[in-house]
Amino acid sequence: MTSKYSTVPDIKSAFERDTIRLRLEDIQPLHLFTESAKETPKYQQVRSSVREIGLVELPVVARDKDTPGKYLLVDGHMRIEILREIGVTEVECLVASDDEAFTYNKRVSRLATIQEHFMILKAIDSGVPEATIATTLNVNVAQIRLKKHLLKGICPEAVEILKDRFVPTNTFIELRKLGAVRQIEAVQLMVAMNKFSINYAKSLVGATPQSQLADTSQPKKLAGLSDAQIALMENESANLDREYRLIEASYGSDHLDLVVATGYLARLLENARVVRYLAQSFPEILAEFQKMTEAVRTPV
């Protein structure tokens, strides 16, 4: 009797069955890390994690069809760079069975602030000591405790808006001072301006009317500002909000053109042959194309 599933074609695995140990010199990255990028907190955290517990996730490579014995780095640029830095010469890798199935427009996988918060909670619930988490993330225990309570007083709508963003921890402290509706307005402005700094958050709190604060019973005091100056800030903030809404309603056509153009560019960068050619012949142009598509897709 013929099975009803007999006509279903075999599903091809995205990876070769076995991992492979490669020399780092045989792996070709498709973008390089600048010295300034290596000074970022995220790079320092990942480096500390690699030193403490090794690689949590193996890099992914694809065989270079033009150069036998060489491999193109599909995913794991930060991890490979850190291994080079700490003196490791070989690494275990996953091998993509078909490089056409992958986009080479991969960027460094950074953990958003709220995602990091949930990761810390999960680790604590699993019994991992706070000191161990702090060592792995290259921060002190006090910061771990601060991150653990990151979303206390933050409304779910604001959390949803910021869930994929890289927001300083202290910015959430300022957002807690706002009522739920004002929190949503504030984070929408942050996203629109692409500004998430503590100083910008403080300015938004300072420009918020007393009635929109989380605790309306406490008078709002800002160091160095009189009541009249605070009232002026609130008035100017209200005007800015109105202007922002007007701009938001009118920029649709320009934004559509931008989305279409960058969407087409992103589709080009999903073609492995195109990216391989650019990487080998015009690496500077490839880097700029990657920046353009990534900036539109994931503003940080």
Side-chain angles (χ1 to χ4, degrees):
M1 181 176 177
T2 303
S3 167
K4 64 179 179 179
Y5 300 109
S6 60
T7 58
V8 177
D10 293 336
I11 299 175
K12 183 178 180 181
S13 173
F15 301 99
E16 294 181 6
R17 167 178 259 178
D18 299 319
T19 60
I20 185 172
R21 191 162 190 83
L22 297 174
R23 298 181 301 171
L24 297 191
E25 63 189 61
D26 291 331
I27 301 174
Q28 177 187 336
L30 293 181
H31 64 82
L32 302 177
F33 276 86
T34 63
E35 289 303 316
S36 60
K38 294 180 181 180
E39 297 301 320
T40 61
K42 188 56 58 179
Y43 187 92
Q44 302 294 330
Q45 289 176 359
V46 174
R47 180 170 59 184
S48 177
S49 175
V50 170
R51 283 176 169 168
E52 287 289 325
I53 60 176
L55 289 179
V56 175
E57 185 178 356
L58 298 183
V60 179
V61 298
R63 298 181 186 276
D64 189 339
K65 296 178 180 178
D66 299 324
T67 310
K70 298 294 183 181
Y71 295 79
L72 303 175
L73 184 57
V74 175
D75 185 38
H77 285 77
M78 179 180 286
R79 282 162 276 161
I80 291 294
E81 181 61 30
I82 289 170
L83 291 176
R84 292 184 196 278
E85 183 180 326
I86 64 179
V88 175
T89 59
E90 294 184 342
V91 62
E92 201 78 17
C93 297
L94 286 171
V95 182
S97 57
D98 183 1
D99 67 353
E100 301 301 329
F102 289 87
T103 167
Y104 286 82
N105 190 31
K106 289 278 187 179
R107 307 296 290 176
V108 178
S109 179
R110 294 177 293 173
L111 198 61
T113 309
I114 290 177
Q115 294 170 352
E116 183 182 59
H117 159 76
F118 287 123
M119 181 196 73
I120 290 172
L121 289 184
K122 184 177 181 181
I124 292 173
D125 289 342
S126 300
V128 180
E130 291 179 351
T132 301
I133 300 174
T135 301
T136 301
L137 295 181
N138 196 31
V139 297
N140 59 45
V141 174
Q143 287 179 292
I144 293 299
R145 291 170 182 163
L146 185 62
K147 292 173 184 287
K148 182 171 67 173
H149 300 291
L150 182 78
L151 301 184
K152 182 180 180 180
I154 307 298
C155 71
E157 294 82 0
V159 172
E160 180 66 21
I161 294 171
L162 296 177
K163 67 180 182 180
D164 297 321
R165 308 286 175 171
F166 304 96
V167 185
T169 303
N170 287 337
T171 294
F172 287 92
I173 297 176
E174 293 300 312
L175 289 176
R176 289 188 200 124
K177 299 176 182 178
L178 306 176
V181 173
R182 181 56 177 163
Q183 278 185 16
I184 297 170
E185 292 177 350
V187 298
Q188 286 175 336
L189 284 171
M190 287 179 171
V191 171
M193 299 294 291
N194 195 24
K195 292 180 66 175
F196 303 93
S197 68
I198 177 64
N199 288 333
Y200 186 56
K202 285 182 176 180
S203 70
L204 291 175
V205 172
T208 299
Q210 185 78 22
S211 61
Q212 296 183 28
L213 295 178
D215 186 356
T216 58
S217 64
Q218 293 295 325
K220 183 174 58 176
K221 295 294 183 181
L222 296 178
L225 294 180
S226 66
D227 291 342
Q229 290 173 319
I230 293 174
L232 179 61
M233 283 182 62
E234 292 176 359
N235 184 57
E236 291 180 347
S237 176
N239 290 334
L240 179 61
D241 285 347
R242 285 193 291 271
E243 292 176 5
Y244 166 70
R245 302 302 175 190
L246 290 173
I247 293 173
E248 186 180 38
S250 64
Y251 90 127
S253 58
D254 291 339
H255 186 260
L256 178 61
D257 291 341
L258 177 63
V259 169
V260 171
T262 54
Y264 174 73
L265 187 57
R267 289 290 300 275
L268 285 179
L269 295 181
E270 289 173 359
N271 186 309
R273 291 191 181 95
V274 170
V275 176
R276 186 188 300 114
Y277 172 75
L278 290 175
Q280 294 174 346
S281 304
F282 304 99
E284 298 86 0
I285 293 177
L286 173 61
E288 292 304 314
F289 282 173
Q290 290 175 330
K291 290 177 185 177
M292 291 166 61
T293 56
E294 188 68 18
V296 173
R297 185 171 61 252
T298 313
V300 294

